[in-house]
Amino acid sequence: MPLEIRQLPRMRLAYMRQTGPYGPSLTQLWERFGRWCEANRLSEPRPKYYGISLDNPACTPPAQCRYDACVQVGVGLRTGTEAMIQDFAGGDYACLRFVGTGPEIGAAWASMMAPGQIPAGWEAAPRPAIEVYDEDFAVNPATGAFPCWLCLAVQRTH
């Protein structure tokens, strides 16, 4: 499936960060973040959630990889000590619709970065990659599969 260029908006995000290898431990981060969102009345109506990979595991030692579980918030939210606030700059992203399991997501990211995958006229940009979990996000209890958009930062070639 070809990558689709999308413009992601600037957003103010509440987030929790994990430092360490990407993988099964991210499920625990998302569970903790989901409880925090419920306690702070951020889960109704159901929002989009965002997962920001701040480091490329092909270039960064696994123990130093950072991942943020995020939700968009308005000005004035006080997060306490459990979560922090960041401004997401938005911009152009090459996006792929992913449906699969946690163990399969790494291969999907890697395939997006293979030569020739980014549409002509675009190149990878030095901004974090982001996963977008739409409002109807759900994990299939039988298979563990879930849908999301994998979005790689891009810029026009010169």
Side-chain angles (χ1 to χ4, degrees):
M1 174 185 253
L3 302 183
E4 171 184 319
I5 301 296
R6 290 182 156 198
Q7 175 80 32
L8 297 183
R10 295 178 61 90
M11 296 179 278
R12 184 171 191 262
L13 301 171
Y15 71 99
M16 286 184 182
R17 177 169 292 167
Q18 174 181 296
T19 301
Y22 298 149
S25 59
L26 293 181
T27 300
Q28 292 149 359
L29 170 67
W30 277 110
E31 288 170 355
R32 191 171 81 246
F33 186 66
R35 289 190 300 272
W36 181 86
C37 288
E38 285 177 23
N40 285 276
R41 297 187 197 118
L42 297 172
S43 30
E44 294 296 329
R46 184 85 180 262
K48 285 186 180 183
Y49 290 97
Y50 304 90
I52 300 177
S53 301
L54 295 160
D55 302 291
N56 181 342
C59 308
T60 304
Q64 295 174 12
C65 287
R66 297 165 297 156
Y67 181 94
D68 294 344
C70 312
V71 67
Q72 186 172 0
V73 295
V75 176
L77 174 74
R78 298 193 187 280
T79 60
T81 58
E82 285 188 87
M84 296 169 277
I85 297 289
Q86 66 177 292
D87 290 317
F88 175 73
D92 293 318
Y93 283 79
C95 301
L96 174 72
R97 182 75 170 157
F98 169 80
V99 178
T101 64
E104 296 168 335
I105 204 166
W109 275 116
S111 72
M112 289 176 68
M113 296 180 208
Q117 294 304 304
I118 295 174
W122 297 89
E123 63 186 2
R127 297 189 318 270
I130 186 168
E131 299 160 1
V132 179
Y133 296 91
D134 289 327
E135 296 87 346
D136 61 353
F137 167 81
V139 176
N140 181 319
T143 64
F146 58 88
C148 70
W149 287 94
L150 305 181
C151 301
L152 181 65
V154 294
Q155 60 195 10
R156 291 205 178 269
T157 53
H158 303 321

